[in-house]
Amino acid sequence: GADQLFADCVIELKKGGYKIKLVAAIPFIGQERLWPERIKKHYYDILEKCDSQIVVSDGNYKVWKMQTRNE
């Protein structure tokens, strides 16, 4: 989605020498469980390039966790 597109932009800017950080705000562990394999691969590639990762909520999927992550 849009988050991955923006992450790709940040990764490219970092390659270009911009001093910015990429932080993954993950709504909960396993959010990608039901995604198609190619999207999961892209997600994992992005996570490897992040400066840090923050898991916002414990447990499994709940609609409100996405909003909490956005905030």
Side-chain angles (χ1 to χ4, degrees), residues 2-63:
D3 293 347
Q4 290 184 2
L5 176 63
F6 295 134
D8 289 336
C9 292
V10 171
I11 290 165
E12 287 303 311
L13 288 170
K14 289 174 66 121
K15 287 180 187 175
Y18 285 85
K19 305 258 186 254
I20 55 179
K21 298 214 181 259
L22 180 57
V23 177
I26 302 166
F28 58 93
I29 297 296
Q31 74 160 345
E32 74 284 3
R33 185 172 44 95
L34 299 176
W35 297 353
E37 286 304 315
R38 70 176 181 79
I39 302 298
K40 285 184 195 179
K41 181 184 180 320
H42 186 212
Y43 175 69
Y44 298 141
D45 289 343
I46 289 170
L47 290 180
E48 287 179 9
K49 295 174 179 148
C50 285
D51 295 290
S52 62
Q53 300 176 23
I54 300 167
V55 178
V56 179
S57 301
D58 292 331
N60 294 320
Y61 175 80
K62 300 281 187 218
V63 173

